[in-house]
């Protein structure tokens, strides 16, 4: 083939787009650091990964938001309450109880304390850091969440004497300790607002810095799974591209010793969609006067080669995505039922999964969160030592254990009618008036009233049996005493 003929033939090869999508989606670019240019000037420590970048990764994940929502619901969703410390009661600490109760109700006048704590859990699980501004202006302090994207800190560059008051063996004692403290900077627009570490001397507002893991800044528990998170996102984008554009070219159209006319090219472009079904495509080809060798005329041919005989049977990387979801859920230590992913749970297995999550994850989390914010810091600073704040959890009972315990107590006369009333109220969803019963009746052992039958002898659910017993006892009482 001569150079001229090769150049002529090569110049006529062309790509004809048939159904290409306008623009294929790509993973979001990580946001810029809003503190850029301020680190050296103000002596701030540069994070390895900015909180804004970590939040962006969370948004690209198809499982982390569900895990975070499960944490928020199970950690803060059952409400906040107060409890007396051991050996304390209304007689010894009623004044402190009133102060703590008022503080929880007024710490943030726009949000409940549960809403504030839920936002902090969201920050912690998204980027590993959470910040609480403590504003003192007379009276009880106010609490505000500061977005982690807007906060940075300095090194521990100042040594101060910290004063603490703690309840020790029933007495409030004061302690002093030397500590190196940081300063915290909040970026508001183009301005820097400074905070001091909670409890350190100074006139600035204080900040409580909560974090997961070690190091200056926190690290989310899913950080080690970042490649898998981004890989899953790319796999999903690849699947979307596949369904939008197809896996590859449907066919290769070759014209030998000629070229398609402009009208034929336009016809190919339009040969798509429902309009092309059942039709016939007529192509016109212009042949060259000389063949590729330039010596004699060659036959003009049109050749079609199919390129996608192997059809994709399922979404690409589906097993990869399933594995990565399991790994991320494992990092949060959550059972599938809490993220809405399991269909093979019954009551027993679901209760067992929830109980394990409670014992291993949520109970320690609640205790840590309330100690870090209230019980070890804020309460002592407002003179509350004998009262602690707690986050409630769900009531999860083992039906078999409850059945065995109630069976044991009832058979031995330990369980009296008065003990049955709160259980009946919980099961029946009502409040019983104890004043309606004659004196002494509520202290009657249940075994004496139910001697004609054996409690819990059937396979009936214990909750339903409790309701049956409660209804029977109440009916017998009304009939006997005409209540």
């Amino acid at each position: 083939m001569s150079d001229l003929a090769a150049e002529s033939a090569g110049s006529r090869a062309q790509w004809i787009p048939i159904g290409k999508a306008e623009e294929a989606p790509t993973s979001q670019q990580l946001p810029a650091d809003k503190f850029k240019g301020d680190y050296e000037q103000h002596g701030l420590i540069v994070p390895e990964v900015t909180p804004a970048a970590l939040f962006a990764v969370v948004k690209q994940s198809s499982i982390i938001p569900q895990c975070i929502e499960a944490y928020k619901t199970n950690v803060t969703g059952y409400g906040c309450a107060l409890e007396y410390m051991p050996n304390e009661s209304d007689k010894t600490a009623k004044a402190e109880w009133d102060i703590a109760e008022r503080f929880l109700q007024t710490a943030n006048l726009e949000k409940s304390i549960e809403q504030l704590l839920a936002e902090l859990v969201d920050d912690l699980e998204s980027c590993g850091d959470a910040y609480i501004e403590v504003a003192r202006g007379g009276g009880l302090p106010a609490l505000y969440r500061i977005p982690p994207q807007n906060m940075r800190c300095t090194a521990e560059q100042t040594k101060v004497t910290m004063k603490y008051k703690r309840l020790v063996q029933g007495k409030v004692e004061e302690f002093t300790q030397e500590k190196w403290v940081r300063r915290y900077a909040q970026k508001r627009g183009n301005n820097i607002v400074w905070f001091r570490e909670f409890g350190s001397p100074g006139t600035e507002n204080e900040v409580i810095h909560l974090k997961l893991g070690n190091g200056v800044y926190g690290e989310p528990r899913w950080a080690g799974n970042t490649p898998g998170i981004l890989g899953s996102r790319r796999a999903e984008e690849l699947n979307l591209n596949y369904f939008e554009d197809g896996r590859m070219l449907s066919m290769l159209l070759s014209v030998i010793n000629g070229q398609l006319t402009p009208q034929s090219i336009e016809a190919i472009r339009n040969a798509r969609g429902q309009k092309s079904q059942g039709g016939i495509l007529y192509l016109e080809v212009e042949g060259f006067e000389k063949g590729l060798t330039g010596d004699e005329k060659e036959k003009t041919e049109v050749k079609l080669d199919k390129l996608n005989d192997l059809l994709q049977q399922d979404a690409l990387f589906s097993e990869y995505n399933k594995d990565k979801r399991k790994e991320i859920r494992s990092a949060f230590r959550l059972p599938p039922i809490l993220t809405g992913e399991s269909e093979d749970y019954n009551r027993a297995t679901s209760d067992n999964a929830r109980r394990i999550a409670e014992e291993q994850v949520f109970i320690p989390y609640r205790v840590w969160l309330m100690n870090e914010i209230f019980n070890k810091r804020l309460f002592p600073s407002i003179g509350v030592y004998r009262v602690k704040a707690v986050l409630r959890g769900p009531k999860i009972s083992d039906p078999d254990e409850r059945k065995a315990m109630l069976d044991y107590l009832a058979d031995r006369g330990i369980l009296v009618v008065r003990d049955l009333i709160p259980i009946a109220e919980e099961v029946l969803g009502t409040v019983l008036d104890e004043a309606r019963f004659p004196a002494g009746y509520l202290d009657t052992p249940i075994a004496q009233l139910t001697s004609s039958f054996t409690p819990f002898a059937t396979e009936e659910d214990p909750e339903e049996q409790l309701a049956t017993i409660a209804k029977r006892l109440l009916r017998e009482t009304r009939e006997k005493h005409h209540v």
Side-chain angles (χ1 to χ4, degrees):
M1 181 188 301
S2 66
D3 294 339
L4 180 60
E7 181 180 355
S8 175
S11 63
R12 295 188 180 96
Q14 54 185 306
W15 156 242
I16 302 175
I18 300 300
K20 186 178 180 182
E22 294 182 358
E23 184 177 356
T26 57
S27 297
Q28 299 177 1
Q29 296 294 325
L30 296 182
D33 188 355
K34 65 187 308 179
F35 279 84
K36 185 177 182 180
D38 295 323
Y39 291 104
E40 293 184 3
Q41 179 182 355
H42 299 288
L44 302 174
I45 298 177
V46 182
E48 293 184 6
V49 182
T50 65
L54 294 171
F55 274 100
V57 174
V58 170
K59 289 183 179 180
Q60 296 189 44
S61 173
S62 61
I63 183 61
I64 294 181
Q66 295 94 303
C67 294
I68 294 177
E69 194 63 29
Y71 265 63
K72 291 165 58 178
T73 300
N74 287 275
V75 172
T76 68
Y78 298 96
C80 181
L82 294 174
E83 292 181 358
Y84 282 117
M85 300 294 285
N87 303 320
E88 305 293 342
S89 64
D90 282 350
K91 296 181 179 180
T92 61
K94 182 60 167 63
E96 292 189 14
W97 181 286
D98 293 340
I99 294 174
E101 187 175 45
R102 182 177 180 84
F103 176 48
L104 292 181
Q105 293 175 351
T106 62
N108 191 305
L109 298 178
E110 297 180 349
K111 304 173 183 176
S112 67
I113 201 67
E114 290 84 2
Q115 288 176 306
L116 179 63
L117 293 173
E119 292 177 356
L120 298 176
V121 172
D122 197 329
D123 291 340
L124 282 167
E125 300 307 321
S126 295
C127 68
D129 291 284
Y131 298 88
I132 310 167
E133 177 183 357
V134 182
R136 302 180 188 269
L140 298 175
L143 305 180
Y144 306 98
R145 166 189 173 260
I146 304 178
Q149 304 94 311
N150 301 340
M151 292 293 288
R152 299 291 186 273
C153 67
T154 67
E156 296 174 337
Q157 52 190 222
T158 305
K159 190 176 184 180
V160 300
T161 299
M162 302 283 285
K163 296 182 179 181
Y164 305 92
K165 287 186 178 180
R166 295 291 185 268
L167 182 66
V168 180
Q169 296 180 346
K171 296 182 180 180
V172 178
E173 300 183 19
E174 183 171 323
F175 302 87
T176 58
Q177 293 180 351
E178 300 292 324
K179 182 181 179 181
W180 291 92
V181 297
R182 309 177 190 275
R183 296 183 71 208
Y184 291 84
Q186 181 185 14
K187 190 74 173 287
R188 293 180 177 175
N190 295 323
N191 300 322
I192 296 291
V193 179
W194 290 97
F195 295 84
R196 58 191 169 101
E197 189 172 329
F198 183 85
S200 61
T203 58
E204 301 158 334
N205 280 355
E206 298 166 281
V207 68
I208 297 176
H209 180 195
L210 306 174
K211 60 181 180 179
L212 301 179
N214 300 319
V216 176
Y217 299 104
E219 183 180 71
R221 62 185 78 246
W222 50 262
N225 299 94
T226 302
I229 297 169
L230 298 179
S232 297
R233 174 72 179 200
R234 293 293 179 88
E236 291 170 356
E237 291 175 354
L238 180 61
N239 282 325
L240 180 58
N241 289 339
Y242 171 79
F243 291 118
E244 289 286 338
D245 298 337
R247 180 179 55 178
M248 58 188 300
L249 294 176
S250 298
M251 68 177 181
L252 177 66
L253 188 150
S254 305
V255 181
I256 301 174
N257 196 39
Q259 63 182 9
L260 293 174
T261 63
Q263 294 81 358
S264 296
I265 294 176
E266 186 64 24
I268 293 176
R269 285 197 178 98
N270 297 326
R272 54 190 297 253
Q274 295 182 356
K275 297 185 299 182
S276 65
Q277 295 181 3
I280 299 176
L281 181 62
Y282 174 75
L283 299 179
E284 293 183 346
V285 179
E286 296 176 347
F288 300 146
E289 294 183 358
K290 294 184 179 181
L292 296 177
T293 60
D295 296 333
E296 57 183 11
K297 182 176 179 59
E298 295 182 1
K299 183 179 179 181
T300 301
E301 297 181 10
V302 177
K303 184 180 180 182
L304 295 176
D305 296 308
K306 298 175 63 176
L307 299 180
N308 60 349
D309 286 337
L310 298 178
L311 298 178
Q312 184 66 38
Q313 297 180 355
D314 197 358
L316 300 172
F317 304 110
S318 59
E319 293 300 323
Y320 172 83
N321 285 340
K322 290 181 181 178
D323 292 340
K324 294 308 169 186
R325 291 174 69 90
K326 291 180 181 178
E327 292 176 4
I328 295 170
R329 197 171 56 245
S330 175
F332 282 89
R333 301 174 67 190
L334 291 176
I337 191 173
L338 292 183
T339 56
E341 294 182 89
S342 181
E343 299 178 356
D344 56 352
Y345 275 78
N346 54 37
R347 178 174 178 178
T349 56
S350 65
D351 284 349
N352 189 52
R354 294 173 60 205
R355 184 180 298 106
I356 294 175
E358 271 291 301
E359 295 174 354
Q360 299 295 320
V361 180
F362 299 129
I363 291 178
Y365 201 115
R366 296 188 197 106
V367 173
W368 169 79
L369 190 65
M370 300 308 281
N371 284 343
E372 288 291 306
I373 300 174
F374 295 102
N375 301 327
K376 297 295 185 181
R377 291 177 172 170
L378 287 169
F379 276 7
S381 73
I382 60 174
V384 175
Y385 310 98
R386 295 175 171 83
V387 178
K388 64 178 180 179
V390 297
L391 285 168
R392 298 189 183 97
K395 295 181 180 179
I396 304 175
S397 61
D398 188 320
D400 293 334
E401 292 179 358
R402 186 169 184 172
K403 172 183 178 299
M405 178 58 69
L406 292 175
D407 193 0
Y408 177 87
L409 296 175
D411 285 347
R412 286 156 180 80
I414 300 175
L415 198 65
V416 298
V417 176
R418 186 183 306 277
D419 299 326
L420 186 61
I421 287 181
I423 302 176
E425 290 178 338
E426 178 182 349
V427 174
L428 301 176
T430 186
V431 177
L432 304 180
D433 184 7
E434 297 184 10
R436 301 174 60 185
F437 299 97
Y441 175 75
L442 295 181
D443 296 320
T444 304
I446 292 177
Q448 295 181 10
L449 301 175
T450 58
S451 57
S452 60
F453 70 100
T454 303
F456 315 124
T458 67
E459 296 298 325
E460 186 181 4
D461 183 90
E463 297 283 352
E464 297 178 359
Q465 293 181 44
L466 287 174
T468 302
I469 294 174
K471 292 176 182 178
R472 173 170 178 168
L473 291 178
L474 292 173
R475 184 176 62 255
E476 290 177 351
T477 302
R478 292 191 181 98
E479 295 174 352
K480 181 177 181 180
H481 299 282
H482 304 288
V483 177

